[in-house]
Amino acid sequence: MKEKVKLFPKKIITFSIVGFGIFFVLWGATEITPRPGLPANSRISVTVVDTSLIERGAYLARVGDCVACHSMPGNSDFSGGAAIASPIGGMVPPNITPDKNVGIGNYTFEDFDRAVRYGIARNGETLYPAMPWTSYSRIAESDMKSLYAYFMYGVKPVAKPSNANTIPWPLSMRWPMTYWRWLFTPSAANPPQDPPTEPLALGAYYVNGLGHCGACHTPRALTLQEVAFDEQGGDEYLSGGQVIDGYFVPSLRGENVSGLGRTSVPELVELLKTGRTDKTATFGPMSDVITNSTQYMTEDDLHAMATYLRSLQARVKQHKANYSAKTYDALSRGDFFSVGASVYMKNCEGCHLANGLGYSKKFTQLALNSSVNSQEANGLIKIVLVGANHAKTEDNNVSIYSMPSFAQSLSDQEIADVLTFIRSSWGNNASEVSTSMVAESRKGIDKLEKTNVRN
């Protein structure tokens, strides 16, 4: 027994030495490995800046929706954003104004390029992929030059220190992220000099690159990387992503019911420009994208994006969606054939109508709506609980309409009943919504509101 007591500390010491040895070898490898980026013989000097570069950079910053993450309401643009939730904690987008003390004012073009396209900060740390550098790796060198010119000479410096990340130690150690970057991210070794001009290729350039659509609309693996970064990676690309802020992210591929299969290129352009069409409207995070980003894009660029998206084949084969008047006929006769139908007629029919077609560009069509027919009902539940607003655009001909919250007026059971009714009427064919799903969503919303109050 005594002999075992003597040997035990030796084993601990041995394991500790081996463990620390492995730790330092792994860490050391991240320090001595050359950083990717522009080679010395191809460095770009941005010393003389003309107005066209800054204007192009401002446009590209809109395409990339940089302001959405790197800003907070009431503060100057790009002066730092709110923490982005992740499985390991909150990742805070920093101040990216050209302030030399707390912003990126001391970044050379090479520093800027390495951060944006390779995910490596000026101090050598790997950036968290909440910054979508995995998509930005595709940006052409001429566009990188324009972005740098804009952020250095077109943005006002703001001396506002960024908040700290809320990721606890040891998860907050950055060097393990280097291995994640090595293993899971695409190479930016041969970026194009200029963006393509052919519409389909230009659409792919924006969708796969600055638009970083895949960051939300593509599934992620257990190790949190996107399972594909473009259509060459397989048909999971843009096939629908994870739940974000309580909303299920739909497919952007050609599915007839839950994707873009029934959306024409002109309709998709209109949706990206205004946030609504005769058939549907955006809500949740996508409305923010319209408000901050795509409404400012040119018609030609939006048409290119829409053309590319509509070229993507469906990943899941679905039946052809056909409108059915059966529900409308029953409701017109006063036949409220289910509890959900009764709840709908009392609370929803005034805007969305008994035929489920709503009012064009005012109150969304529910019949054959891809969001209504989505695999998950999270987004629909959240809309009923907290309400929804149309995207805010600069088109003075488009009025803003809102859906009120029904969190106080409808019970979990009533919300489950009415959504089950909606998802099975007018030709819709989606799964039922349970009371437990509504209760779970309500609990998550209440928790988020309490957190925001404390903050």
Side-chain angles (χ1 to χ4, degrees):
M1 186 69 180
K2 290 182 179 179
E3 186 178 356
K4 290 184 178 179
V5 173
K6 290 179 181 179
L7 290 174
F8 184 72
K10 291 183 179 180
K11 291 181 179 180
I12 293 295
I13 293 172
T14 301
F15 285 131
S16 298
I17 292 173
V18 172
F20 278 115
I22 293 173
F23 175 89
F24 281 111
V25 168
L26 292 174
W27 169 78
T30 67
E31 291 295 308
I32 65 175
T33 302
R35 299 172 190 168
L38 292 171
N41 61 2
S42 66
R43 288 180 180 174
I44 301 173
S45 176
V46 185
T47 54
V48 179
V49 181
D50 60 39
T51 304
S52 63
L53 274 180
I54 296 176
E55 289 177 350
R56 173 66 176 171
Y59 178 79
L60 294 170
R62 282 292 190 185
V63 177
D65 202 8
C66 307
V67 72
C69 290
H70 289 276
S71 310
M72 284 195 291
N75 293 337
S76 299
D77 287 351
F78 309 118
S79 62
I84 298 173
S86 80
I88 63 173
M91 302 174 181
V92 177
N95 182 331
I96 56 171
T97 72
D99 183 86
K100 291 185 178 296
N101 295 314
V102 296
I104 61 172
N106 293 317
Y107 272 50
T108 64
F109 178 79
E110 288 73 30
D111 294 333
F112 184 80
D113 178 79
R114 189 173 283 113
V116 174
R117 294 202 295 126
Y118 298 87
I120 302 174
R122 190 166 183 258
N123 64 4
E125 293 181 340
T126 296
L127 300 175
Y128 291 118
M131 158 73 171
W133 44 269
T134 51
S135 298
Y136 293 168
S137 63
R138 303 168 184 277
I139 301 174
E141 291 196 22
S142 61
D143 278 348
M144 282 301 304
K145 186 175 180 180
S146 296
L147 281 166
Y148 181 75
Y150 171 64
F151 278 104
M152 290 301 159
Y153 305 105
V155 173
K156 177 183 176 182
V158 179
K160 178 182 176 296
S162 303
N163 295 328
N165 291 321
T166 59
I167 300 172
W169 191 88
L171 296 175
S172 59
M173 291 191 297
R174 289 294 188 107
W175 67 264
M177 283 296 304
T178 303
Y179 285 92
W180 188 93
R181 172 166 53 82
W182 289 345
L183 290 170
F184 301 124
T185 61
S187 171
N190 296 300
Q193 179 60 43
D194 298 299
T197 56
E198 189 274 323
L200 187 65
L202 180 62
Y205 174 74
Y206 284 129
V207 169
N208 301 341
L210 264 173
H212 62 280
C213 303
C216 292
H217 290 273
T218 298
R220 291 181 181 264
L222 290 176
T223 41
L224 300 184
Q225 83 278 13
E226 297 156 47
V227 297
F229 293 99
D230 56 31
E231 69 276 16
Q232 304 303 317
D235 61 6
E236 284 188 284
Y237 181 63
L238 298 181
S239 65
Q242 69 280 21
V243 174
I244 297 178
D245 293 337
Y247 298 95
F248 178 73
V249 182
S251 170
L252 298 182
R253 301 184 70 89
E255 287 82 6
N256 285 323
V257 178
S258 59
L260 298 178
R262 298 178 58 254
T263 305
S264 67
V265 167
E267 287 173 333
L268 189 49
V269 170
E270 183 180 21
L271 187 67
L272 291 171
K273 193 74 175 178
T274 68
R276 69 189 87 172
T277 68
D278 288 338
K279 298 177 181 177
T280 190
T282 61
F283 55 87
M286 190 60 202
S287 284
D288 294 336
V289 172
I290 306 294
T291 297
N292 294 317
S293 178
T294 57
Q295 69 159 313
Y296 298 100
M297 295 182 68
T298 66
E299 291 287 333
D300 286 345
D301 284 349
L302 288 176
H303 191 273
M305 289 178 66
T307 299
Y308 169 70
L309 289 172
R310 287 299 294 115
S311 73
L312 301 176
Q313 298 298 310
R315 180 169 187 264
V316 178
K317 301 300 181 184
Q318 296 176 335
H319 66 277
K320 185 178 180 181
N322 293 303
Y323 180 82
S324 171
K326 182 179 179 181
T327 298
Y328 175 55
D329 292 342
L331 297 179
S332 299
R333 297 192 305 269
D335 179 10
F336 303 164
F337 51 88
S338 68
V339 175
S342 180
V343 174
Y344 180 86
M345 292 300 289
K346 291 177 182 178
N347 298 277
C348 314
E349 186 272 340
C351 294
H352 298 287
L353 304 182
N355 58 17
L357 298 177
Y359 291 94
S360 175
K361 295 185 177 65
K362 295 180 176 65
F363 302 112
T364 305
Q365 173 179 318
L366 300 179
L368 308 182
N369 185 303
S370 60
S371 296
V372 171
N373 287 282
S374 66
Q375 176 184 346
E376 302 287 343
N378 309 71
L380 297 178
I381 295 171
K382 185 167 184 178
I383 288 174
V384 174
L385 287 172
V386 305
N389 295 308
H390 282 158
K392 297 177 181 178
T393 67
E394 295 185 351
D395 185 346
N396 294 325
N397 296 320
V398 179
S399 301
I400 301 296
Y401 293 90
S402 299
M403 175 170 166
S405 164
F406 288 91
Q408 303 303 318
S409 58
L410 295 180
S411 68
D412 292 349
Q413 183 64 62
E414 288 172 320
I415 293 174
D417 288 338
V418 73
L419 288 179
T420 296
F421 163 76
I422 291 170
R423 282 162 64 87
S424 60
S425 298
W426 310 296
N428 296 333
N429 184 26
S431 58
E432 294 183 359
V433 176
S434 68
T435 306
S436 61
M437 292 166 61
V438 179
E440 188 66 24
S441 182
R442 190 191 292 267
K443 186 187 302 181
I445 292 168
D446 290 344
K447 182 179 179 180
L448 180 61
E449 289 179 348
K450 290 177 181 178
T451 300
N452 290 337
V453 169
R454 285 198 301 270
N455 292 340

